[in-house]
Amino acid sequence: MEKAKEKKGLKWGIPDAYIILFGILALMAVLTYLIPAGEFSREEIEGITMVVPDSYQQIASSPASLLDIFLAIQEGMISSAPLIFLVLIIGGSFAVIESTGAIDAMILKTIEKTKNKELLLITVVCILFSIFGALGIIVNAVIAFIPIGIILARSMKMDAIVGVSIIYLGAYAGFNTAFLDPLTTGTAQQIAQLPLFSGIGYRIVIYITILITTIAYIAYYANKIKNDPAKSVLGNTPFPKIEEKNQLNKQVVLTGVHKLVLFWLVIGIGIYVFGVFQYNWSLNEMAAIFLIIAVGTAIIAKISPNKLIVELFKGAKGLVYGAMIIGMARSIVVVLEDGKILDTIVQGMANLMTPFTSVMGALVMFIANLLFNILVSSGSGQAVIVMPIMTPLADIMEIPRQVAVQAYKMGDGFTNVITPTSGILMANLAIAGVSWIKWIRFIFPLLMIWIILGSIFLVIGVWMNWGPF
């Protein structure tokens, strides 16, 4: 009887991202037996390794064994180690900053200053979180700020959808382009052998357009339900999950220490950006800078060395899942490369896309990434999988590599706001008590607007031959 009850209670649910990735890994291993091995000739032009078009030729096959599948996971972790440790260090350093209360104080002070000015408040909060999103430093941590968004929406007599949107969509309006995010844009550019954060000018234009559109959409919905609460997607229960919190009733004090901590964070990021453009710094230098930011924050806030370590590891612990998935994703490419079928897949895609122009090819890349992200919602993990395929494909189809990077980045960012495999999205909705179905009803028109704008920007990128800088 007990065993029967246990079986009855077993629920599979939506597969975890690691399960999906392992399934893809196993499938790729099987394909090494079915797909002929082959490779392109490559040549180095101005320090960049380029695929030579029409140079594909078949070679001896090298299929993956059962042991090779599990070895690939280890090799993927090892080859992704700099990126994995960067994620952990940024997470730990940001946790140290958060432990001082500086971030909360800044946000709550912003709310206090713009109270009773709904449009201004929505705009300021969205811009603030979009900057964090563009830097890639708060995308996973955005969950912690959803309760503040809910409080804010209640104070404006809106609904929980607005509360989630001003925080979550604000952050993702920045993350959709992530012009200074080393973990997504930076990783994709490294794989595409483009200078780190190159093409930033055009990406900022895309960022501003997406941000303005997002703010306008949230403001339109907020104004609609303020005039007629019955038009809320949530119906008669604007706040399905009410948790009494009193942050906004307390006197918000942005202390001198808080200001120094925030100033130190800005200085640190500024130094890194300067180093990127002046000295060609990469991801390792960013890890070092964030460690310096963490230590400097501890000194400013008078955090003891032991407490610093505790907070550092607490923040890193929260990102272990997201960090390790980068290595898991990389293992798929390891199997494709070791099995000598990666170039064959690229050649097959090139043959399929031969009738397409460069413009249509860029749009197909974009759509493919939008769909792929529904399965693999890890931005850096997706970069590691798709960019080794898209980079040579872009060369063959005469699509600028910056366009390929942007097709990946927007494909990754846009569908993050709907995919049920995204732990961040589902956690945000759970905190607010908003069902996924009702969220889809709200977000789908904005997603379509984003996709149309993204397509336009990619077409322009191809037309202007968007170069490295």
Side-chain angles (χ1 to χ4, degrees), residues 399-415:
I399 298 169
R401 289 189 178 188
Q402 290 286 15
V403 172
V405 169
Q406 195 62 22
Y408 140 73
K409 187 68 218 69
M410 292 190 299
D412 161 51
F414 290 170
T415 46

Side-chain angles (χ1 to χ4, degrees), residues 127-140:
I127 290 173
L128 181 63
F129 276 90
S130 74
I131 292 170
F132 287 142
L135 296 173
I137 61 176
I138 202 172
V139 177
N140 292 328

Side-chain angles (χ1 to χ4, degrees), residues 200-337:
I200 192 171
Y202 190 48
R203 284 193 175 85
I204 289 175
V205 172
I206 299 172
Y207 155 70
I208 291 171
T209 306
I210 296 294
L211 176 60
I212 291 172
T213 304
T214 304
I215 292 171
Y217 186 81
I218 297 171
Y220 167 76
Y221 176 80
N223 186 61
K224 182 174 71 173
I225 64 171
K226 187 170 186 182
N227 293 332
D228 184 1
K231 291 184 177 178
S232 168
V233 171
L234 301 177
N236 297 325
T237 52
F239 295 94
K241 189 174 180 180
I242 297 176
E243 292 185 8
E244 293 296 333
K245 298 202 176 196
N246 299 314
Q247 286 109 316
L248 292 182
N249 296 327
K250 296 178 181 178
Q251 186 178 2
V252 180
V253 179
L254 187 63
T255 66
V257 171
H258 291 153
K259 291 176 182 177
L260 279 174
V261 167
L262 294 171
F263 181 69
W264 177 242
L265 173 63
V266 172
I267 290 294
I269 292 172
I271 290 172
Y272 176 68
V273 172
F274 175 79
V276 166
F277 292 105
Q278 193 67 27
Y279 302 112
N280 295 318
W281 283 1
S282 64
L283 305 185
N284 287 342
E285 283 82 2
M286 172 162 254
I289 289 293
F290 265 90
L291 284 174
I292 292 170
I293 288 172
V295 173
T297 298
I299 293 170
I300 293 168
K302 296 181 180 177
I303 297 173
S304 69
N306 284 350
K307 181 74 185 303
L308 168 63
I309 297 302
V310 168
E311 293 297 337
L312 201 64
F313 276 90
K314 188 189 295 181
K317 181 182 176 183
L319 289 181
V320 168
Y321 179 95
M324 298 292 281
I325 207 169
I326 299 168
M328 188 71 188
R330 174 64 194 170
S331 68
I332 295 169
V333 179
V334 169
V335 165
L336 293 176
E337 289 177 340

Side-chain angles (χ1 to χ4, degrees), residues 15 61 78-79 131 139 152 180 182 188 284 318 363 365 393 400 403 430 455 459:
S61 64
I78 292 170
S79 63
I131 292 170
V139 177
L152 185 54
L180 281 178
N284 287 342
L363 294 178
M365 283 183 175
L393 189 59
V403 172
S455 300
V459 170

Side-chain angles (χ1 to χ4, degrees), residues 37-220:
E39 63 182 8
F40 288 104
S41 298
R42 287 170 168 82
E43 60 183 0
E44 192 168 300
I45 300 174
E46 296 180 0
I48 298 175
T49 304
M50 305 282 285
V51 167
V52 178
D54 301 321
S55 65
Y56 174 81
Q57 57 183 359
Q58 290 192 4
I59 59 173
S61 64
S62 180
S65 66
L66 178 63
L67 182 61
D68 287 335
I69 295 174
F70 291 92
L71 275 174
I73 297 174
Q74 168 76 347
E75 289 173 19
M77 296 291 177
I78 292 170
S79 63
S80 303
L83 195 55
I84 291 170
F85 284 108
L86 176 62
V87 172
L88 298 178
I89 287 169
I90 289 178
S93 300
F94 204 72
V96 174
I97 296 167
E98 283 188 305
S99 72
T100 67
I103 299 292
D104 284 349
M106 177 182 64
I107 292 168
L108 292 172
K109 192 68 176 179
T110 301
I111 291 171
E112 184 187 70
K113 290 288 185 183
T114 54
K115 205 169 184 180
N116 300 321
K117 299 174 183 174
E118 288 86 354
L119 180 57
L120 178 62
L121 186 52
I122 290 170
T123 302
V124 170
V125 174
C126 282
I127 290 173
L128 181 63
F129 276 90
S130 74
I131 292 170
F132 287 142
L135 296 173
I137 61 176
I138 202 172
V139 177
N140 292 328
V142 76
I143 297 170
F145 300 100
I146 294 299
I148 294 176
I150 299 299
I151 294 166
L152 185 54
R154 287 178 65 191
S155 71
M156 294 188 293
K157 295 180 173 56
M158 304 296 182
D159 66 6
I161 292 279
V162 175
V164 173
S165 297
I166 56 179
I167 305 293
Y168 177 67
L169 293 184
Y172 272 79
F175 184 68
N176 286 339
T177 50
F179 52 84
L180 281 178
D181 178 12
L183 306 181
T184 53
T185 303
T187 300
Q189 288 185 320
Q190 274 200 325
I191 296 170
Q193 293 188 311
L194 294 169
L196 192 60
F197 302 140
S198 56
I200 192 171
Y202 190 48
R203 284 193 175 85
I204 289 175
V205 172
I206 299 172
Y207 155 70
I208 291 171
T209 306
I210 296 294
L211 176 60
I212 291 172
T213 304
T214 304
I215 292 171
Y217 186 81
I218 297 171
Y220 167 76

